[in-house]
Amino acid sequence: MRKTLNTIPAYTWYAVPSGTLTFVNERYADYLGLAKDDPLRLGVEVDVPWHTHIQLVLPDDREATLKVVGATCNRTGTAGQAAFRIRNSEGEYRWFLSRLEPLRASDGTLLYWIGINLEIDDRKRAEEALRRNRPAFPSESENVRHFPEADFWPGIISGLPVIQESGTADNPHNTGGHWQDAG
């Protein structure tokens, strides 16, 4: 079944200008396994460095995530996105595409970051399966070697005109050894 935008799990969050998370929606809090009175569920600002939540990101993805969020977004105040795996309450990591946007006052002052994490785990797993199971495409020279003239039987590619050699005894379109459209 194909997922529509309404069925893709979306997790929203807010952060102060430094990037420190201050709120996650109920779906995200449940995914992370946060207690019902956790400050992130309540939108309470806590005095922690912005990157403390990076511990939820798979170690292999942390450097790239820190680069996008810390070095690009936090430094420049511009929007950004990154794909990474986040650990859930059972210790399993799932892929997310995270997009963050700055929310500014009328004078341009950065007030908050608003973010959304879209769960893309199914897509990432399908892409990986395709990469593992798809043979590499042969080069043009290999195509010629693998598909000699003898392999071009009439009608093998439906919907295209079929070219066959005429002038043989079993060919009803005998034109004296010339090529013709057999369609």
Side-chain angles (χ1 to χ4, degrees):
M1 180 175 163
R2 185 183 166 123
K3 290 184 177 182
T4 65
L5 189 56
N6 293 336
T7 61
I8 295 174
Y11 305 84
T12 55
W13 51 269
Y14 299 98
V16 294
S18 68
T20 300
L21 287 177
T22 59
F23 173 78
V24 296
N25 70 352
E26 185 175 355
R27 178 182 280 178
Y28 200 10
D30 290 346
Y31 176 86
L32 297 173
L34 300 178
K36 294 293 180 191
D37 62 348
D38 189 285
L40 285 177
R41 284 186 185 261
L42 308 172
V44 176
E45 282 191 40
V46 290
D47 190 24
V48 296
W50 73 268
H51 60 279
T52 54
H53 60 278
I54 201 72
Q55 66 187 345
L56 300 171
V57 174
L58 183 75
D60 292 349
D61 299 342
R62 288 178 186 171
E63 185 177 334
T65 303
L66 285 170
K67 186 176 181 181
V68 169
V69 176
T72 303
C73 299
N74 282 350
R75 183 176 47 78
T76 65
T78 59
Q81 70 181 29
F84 46 81
R85 289 160 283 189
I86 300 175
R87 185 179 64 233
N88 65 16
S89 60
E90 287 127 28
E92 175 189 30
Y93 287 91
R94 298 188 60 81
W95 278 100
F96 288 85
L97 177 62
S98 184
R99 175 79 182 168
L100 58 151
E101 293 281 340
L103 176 64
R104 299 185 180 281
S106 58
D107 67 357
T109 304
L110 178 61
L111 300 174
Y112 286 97
W113 289 100
I114 298 174
I116 187 165
N117 290 358
L118 296 176
E119 190 175 316
I120 58 169
D121 198 69
D122 292 342
R123 185 188 97 191
K124 284 290 206 174
R125 290 177 193 264
E127 288 171 355
E128 181 58 31
L130 281 174
R131 273 193 293 281
R132 277 193 320 270
N133 296 323
R134 180 184 295 163
F137 288 106
S139 68
E140 194 171 322
S141 62
E142 289 171 323
N143 281 338
V144 171
R145 188 177 70 240
H146 292 298
F147 300 108
E149 284 184 17
D151 289 342
F152 289 104
W153 293 96
I156 205 135
I157 303 174
S158 70
L160 296 176
V162 177
I163 307 296
Q164 67 186 36
E165 185 178 359
S166 56
T168 60
D170 59 306
N171 185 342
H173 303 287
N174 190 331
T175 60
H178 300 284
W179 292 89
Q180 73 176 30
D181 184 345

